[in-house]
Amino acid sequence: VLGVVLGLGLLGLAMPLLGAIALLQTLLETVRFVANLDRDTRTAGDDDSTDQDVTLVMPGTCGYIFWQLGMVHYVCEQFDTSTSKLAGISSGAICAQFILKREEA
């Protein structure tokens, strides 16, 4: 019981500080957006990439692997993935194997 009370007390002390940090970040992001401080000068025509440069990155999604496999199946049906690079970890690696097997068939 003492640990719960101590934990809730520390959380209560930290909340005003965390709230102030969140508000300050929001204010600074708003200032950055309004002042147009992002110096990204690229336009759509400046992109030197080609369709051959596509990399599919699939993270691990644990229990959502079946959803992820469905999305990969859709991507494979709608787009040419034969020349794309693949990267995946955990369930993403299983999806990468799925793509490779679909390309073999």
Side-chain angles (χ1 to χ4, degrees):
V1 174
L2 180 63
V4 172
V5 171
L6 184 61
L8 289 175
L10 288 174
L11 181 63
L13 290 174
M15 286 309 273
L17 178 63
L18 293 175
I21 290 172
L23 287 173
L24 182 63
Q25 269 188 314
T26 303
L27 175 68
L28 291 175
E29 285 295 317
T30 304
V31 169
R32 188 183 70 149
F33 177 75
V34 169
N36 198 18
L37 296 177
D38 291 329
R39 303 265 182 208
D40 190 10
T41 58
R42 293 180 295 164
T43 61
D46 292 343
D47 193 9
D48 292 334
S49 65
T50 65
D51 288 340
Q52 306 299 324
D53 296 334
V54 174
T55 301
L56 297 175
V57 179
M58 292 160 279
T61 58
C62 294
Y64 296 106
I65 185 171
F66 299 109
W67 175 86
Q68 192 175 20
L69 280 171
M71 288 304 299
V72 165
H73 188 266
Y74 173 81
V75 168
C76 288
E77 286 180 345
Q78 301 297 320
F79 303 99
D80 178 26
T81 57
S82 60
T83 58
S84 62
K85 299 172 190 157
L86 303 171
I89 188 160
S90 189
S91 63
I94 294 170
C95 290
Q97 288 294 323
F98 178 77
I99 292 173
L100 292 174
K101 287 297 179 187
R102 277 191 54 92
E103 294 300 327
E104 281 181 13

